[in-house]
Amino acid sequence: ELIKEAVAATVWKFGAPPDLGMITFVDRGKTKPKKDPGYCYQMAGFSRVGRTKDRGLYALQILPGDMPQAEPPIGGADELFPATKAIKEGA
């Protein structure tokens, strides 16, 4: 849920994502041993799309159509983001 909330807040803050969405990388060497590195991201809507050539990091991507609806951060306020507030008010 935290990853979904972070994606929703990012889209709320920065607007429509790029056509290729968002990418994140998972270093299997820095996570607890498990069958499926990046599982939490996959549960949040990301898909595994490959590995980096240099370090073998897992690359995961979420496309715009798979992202949650834009929402302000939970407990956040427009006052924390004055530029965003001005844009939303048409200033």
Side-chain angles (χ1 to χ4, degrees), residues 25 50-57:
F25 299 94
R51 294 179 77 169
T52 61
K53 289 181 182 180
D54 58 341
R55 293 181 40 211
L57 303 177

Side-chain angles (χ1 to χ4, degrees), residues 9-82:
T10 300
V11 175
W12 172 83
K13 170 75 171 130
F14 295 103
D19 292 341
L20 294 177
M22 295 179 185
I23 304 273
T24 192
F25 299 94
V26 175
D27 184 343
R28 185 175 194 139
K30 295 187 178 185
T31 62
K32 291 182 181 179
K34 53 185 152 188
K35 179 181 172 185
D36 198 5
Y39 180 77
C40 293
Y41 284 96
Q42 291 176 53
M43 293 297 97
F46 285 74
S47 298
R48 195 182 293 178
V49 292
R51 294 179 77 169
T52 61
K53 289 181 182 180
D54 58 341
R55 293 181 40 211
L57 303 177
Y58 290 90
L60 296 107
Q61 175 185 37
I62 187 167
L63 295 171
D66 297 327
M67 291 181 185
Q69 182 177 353
E71 295 285 336
I74 294 174
D78 280 341
E79 294 76 35
L80 297 175
F81 305 102

